Amino acid sequence: MSIIPNFFGRRRTNVFDPFSLDVWDPFEGFPFNNNNNFGSLSDQVRSSSETSSFVSANVDWRETNDAHVFKADVPGLKKEEVKVEVEDDRVLQISGERNKESEEKGDTWHRVERSSGKFVRRFRLPENAKVDQVKAAMENGVLTVTVPKVEVKKPDVKSIQISG
């Protein structure tokens, strides 16, 4: 096992997002001894949390002239299994849970690739968001959350005549 840290091992889609609540792990890639098992601090934190690999529910956030629009991939989930909340006045939280499929006695599983468990995604909303008018809809495994924006009033410009 290499002791050299892998600083480029995980690619992020955004270089800098001031609204993101993602936490950077400066120790990611460094081996740590955990009961004689080597793994990064990130791996240890992830494995000890209640969430599973489903935590990577992909979310797109785009801003239009009228709203902030979030689209989250939540395939196989019903709308009753997903929650959309605004907490602390400016934090949009999308969460849910996919339960494991029940194992029948006598079944033989050849492969289990579909993830299960809880997921939580949080986004700090900017000041121009109307947090009291958030709407959500789900269609074909895609959750769409629309957060309207406050209308920006254009300043009144008055020309001043220059004398002289």
Side-chain angles (χ1 to χ4, degrees):
M1 173 178 258
S2 172
I3 299 179
I4 300 171
N6 181 5
F7 294 111
F8 306 102
R10 186 169 47 148
R11 253 183 99 146
R12 294 182 183 236
T13 57
N14 55 349
V15 175
F16 175 72
D17 181 359
F19 306 116
S20 176
L21 295 177
D22 289 341
V23 178
W24 172 65
D25 181 1
F27 300 107
E28 184 171 28
F30 285 99
F32 289 91
N33 191 346
N34 183 17
N35 297 333
N36 296 325
N37 294 327
F38 287 97
S40 72
L41 183 60
S42 299
D43 293 338
Q44 293 174 21
V45 170
R46 281 187 207 107
S47 66
S48 67
S49 68
E50 291 181 3
T51 59
S52 71
S53 60
F54 191 49
V55 76
S56 64
N58 296 324
V59 178
D60 293 339
W61 175 2
R62 74 182 159 102
E63 183 176 353
T64 67
N65 290 334
D66 303 322
H68 294 275
V69 180
F70 297 83
K71 290 196 175 218
D73 288 340
V74 289
L77 292 183
K78 300 176 200 143
K79 66 180 184 177
E80 296 82 18
E81 298 170 319
V82 178
K83 281 175 46 175
V84 177
E85 302 169 305
V86 177
E87 58 182 36
D88 296 331
D89 195 34
R90 293 250 169 250
V91 178
L92 174 69
Q93 179 170 300
I94 301 170
S95 61
E97 183 173 6
R98 176 180 291 145
N99 296 317
K100 281 186 176 179
E101 205 166 312
S102 62
E103 296 181 25
E104 299 293 325
K105 195 168 191 154
D107 286 352
T108 302
W109 289 80
H110 295 280
R111 184 174 299 263
V112 178
E113 293 181 344
R114 294 176 33 219
S115 58
S116 62
K118 296 179 183 180
F119 73 92
V120 176
R121 296 297 309 269
R122 298 167 51 100
F123 303 93
R124 185 167 309 282
L125 297 170
E127 292 293 323
N128 67 352
K130 291 182 178 179
V131 295
D132 57 336
Q133 296 179 15
V134 176
K135 294 186 177 160
M138 194 148 80
E139 185 177 340
N140 296 327
V142 178
L143 172 70
T144 302
V145 180
T146 305
V147 183
K149 290 170 42 176
V150 175
E151 291 180 30
V152 178
K153 183 180 175 189
K154 294 182 180 178
D156 293 332
V157 177
K158 182 179 175 184
S159 293
I160 308 294
Q161 189 172 13
I162 302 172
S163 63

